[in-house]
Amino acid sequence: MSGNAEPGSLLSRFTPPQRRTFAPWYVTRLRSHFLLVDRFQPVAVSMSTNGRVVDVVSWASSAAAPEEPGWPNRRVVPGEDRLLVQDLPDGAGVVLEVTADGRLDHRIEPDVPEHLPGAIHRRLLAPVSLTVAAGDPGGHTWHIESMTDGFFRSAAVTLSGVGRFDLPRPASVSALAAMGADLAFVCVQRADKRPWNFEPETQLWMVQARPDRLTPRLMPALDITDLCWPRPLGPEHALRRQVELSSYLSYSLSGLRFLQEFQAVNPELTIHGDVAAGDVTVDLTFGLPHLPDVRFRRRDRPFDERGVLAGGLRDLNISLEEDLLSGLIDALAPHAPGLTDV
């Protein structure tokens, strides 16, 4: 943000988001194109069957970012010729349509019913299995499966009678859309169960079917920084975030107390970042007596991309006590000394 902004000016009340690439979370087929929705930001993309980006649309200027956290935070409702996107708990509905040439139209629906048949909520990095009928005369089916082995995730895409593609680990699939038995687009999040990643790498894979195999292709990243919601600033937001963080830290302190009772070595709680802007990292670091050369760190991000208190480890119900007692810490301990994120 410019240091010359005057009080009350636009620049004094908003800061642009950090550099951001499109994070494909959901994909569906509309007409002869594919429509993709970002996992968090107000951005959708249409793609042709050859993987070309046809159009990109943002509703950042026509639908405000929710001020309260929703859990889950986003849902989509697919239809035959349109897709409804809504940010929860009470955001406006955004109806997306794809024209015959792949261009995107969108309109705002202010009032959306609380319950909508067929709604799909934003998934976390959890194992997902889904079978999609290709609809071709041969009766082929596409199948995606995300698996967890201990604390590590893997995923695969299969077309019955043709072949299987194992995604590079770590990987968890959130959505798949197919064009018959010839082509599918797959949304992938690349992160393991631990350490928890608040900004997981996301990928879009185009998987084409040959007579005897699947041919995968990783699609290039798309910069959407200028299409994202800016983070609101100003005295009222700064005060709110300070109050919210003070309340949230009771959760962090409970983890510190447990480490002390667990007889961890030199447990410490540190806070980094800009509280007023909602850009904060809370670190718990500690050692264990039987691993004297290793220092462990658990990172928490109480605020999300909009500066809203949402989605931290407390909200995800991720417990340091449970992870320690279950043996996760030992499983992640490296053979070489140093700092290990857990």
Side-chain angles (χ1 to χ4, degrees):
M1 185 175 72
S2 170
N4 298 321
E6 296 181 359
S9 70
L10 179 62
L11 285 178
S12 73
R13 301 192 53 84
F14 289 91
T15 183
Q18 296 179 346
R19 186 175 180 84
R20 176 68 147 73
T21 57
F22 183 67
W25 154 66
Y26 179 76
V27 59
T28 188
R29 173 186 168 187
L30 289 183
R31 297 180 181 267
S32 58
H33 291 79
F34 290 91
L35 175 62
L36 298 109
V37 178
D38 190 89
R39 68 180 176 89
F40 189 91
Q41 293 292 348
V43 180
V45 176
S46 62
M47 299 191 75
S48 65
T49 54
N50 63 6
R52 179 176 64 89
V53 173
V54 179
D55 201 5
V56 183
V57 67
S58 170
W59 52 95
S61 61
S62 53
E67 295 185 1
E68 299 293 335
W71 196 255
N73 77 304
R74 171 166 285 184
R75 66 174 174 172
V76 294
V77 185
E80 291 186 6
D81 57 358
R82 69 175 202 164
L83 181 72
L84 173 70
V85 182
Q86 184 191 21
D87 288 297
L88 302 174
D90 55 2
V94 180
V95 177
L96 298 164
E97 297 178 337
V98 181
T99 63
D101 61 355
R103 298 296 169 182
L104 289 172
D105 292 327
H106 80 282
R107 68 177 188 274
I108 304 300
E109 287 192 0
D111 300 315
V112 180
E114 181 178 354
H115 301 288
L116 286 172
I120 299 171
H121 295 80
R122 183 175 79 84
R123 302 184 182 102
L124 298 175
L125 294 175
V128 174
S129 293
L130 176 67
T131 299
V132 178
D136 68 314
H140 291 90
T141 57
W142 291 92
H143 182 71
I144 56 174
E145 184 176 8
S146 299
M147 300 149 283
T148 301
D149 179 13
F151 309 110
F152 309 102
R153 299 193 188 282
S154 59
V157 179
T158 304
L159 179 62
S160 60
V162 176
R164 170 187 172 106
F165 163 52
D166 290 291
L167 289 152
R169 296 181 64 177
S172 181
V173 175
S174 62
L176 174 146
M179 189 76 73
D182 300 319
L183 172 68
F185 278 94
V186 184
C187 298
V188 177
Q189 299 184 82
R190 302 200 66 234
D192 281 318
K193 184 176 179 180
R194 298 288 190 279
W196 185 263
N197 191 339
F198 289 97
E199 297 178 350
E201 178 188 358
T202 55
Q203 295 178 338
L204 178 66
W205 287 83
M206 183 173 74
V207 183
Q208 295 175 292
R210 306 303 183 197
D212 58 348
R213 69 186 187 280
L214 296 180
T215 303
R217 174 185 165 195
L218 176 62
M219 308 307 295
L222 177 67
D223 191 316
I224 61 167
T225 304
D226 294 338
L227 304 177
C228 297
W229 278 309
R231 181 174 297 185
L233 299 177
E236 69 277 19
H237 294 287
L239 177 60
R240 174 178 173 175
R241 288 164 182 151
Q242 289 168 359
V243 172
E244 289 175 336
L245 181 61
S246 297
S247 174
Y248 188 93
L249 286 176
S250 63
Y251 162 80
S252 307
L253 288 169
S254 68
L256 180 63
R257 287 192 296 269
F258 170 75
L259 288 172
Q260 293 168 339
E261 296 169 358
F262 195 73
Q263 297 185 334
V265 178
N266 297 327
E268 296 179 351
L269 174 67
T270 55
I271 303 170
H272 313 273
D274 185 346
V275 177
D279 186 7
V280 178
T281 300
V282 180
D283 285 346
L284 269 175
T285 57
F286 59 96
L288 295 175
H290 62 289
L291 296 167
D293 296 326
V294 181
R295 188 76 178 165
F296 296 97
R297 178 176 64 185
R298 168 147 294 188
R299 312 211 81 169
D300 196 0
R301 297 288 298 274
F303 297 94
D304 65 16
E305 290 182 33
R306 302 163 301 177
V308 174
L309 187 72
L313 296 180
R314 179 193 66 179
D315 303 319
L316 296 169
N317 198 29
I318 293 178
S319 166
L320 179 60
E321 177 179 357
E322 180 180 336
D323 286 348
L324 272 166
L325 297 177
S326 69
L328 178 147
I329 304 301
D330 284 23
L332 294 177
H335 296 291
L339 183 66
T340 296
D341 284 313
V342 294

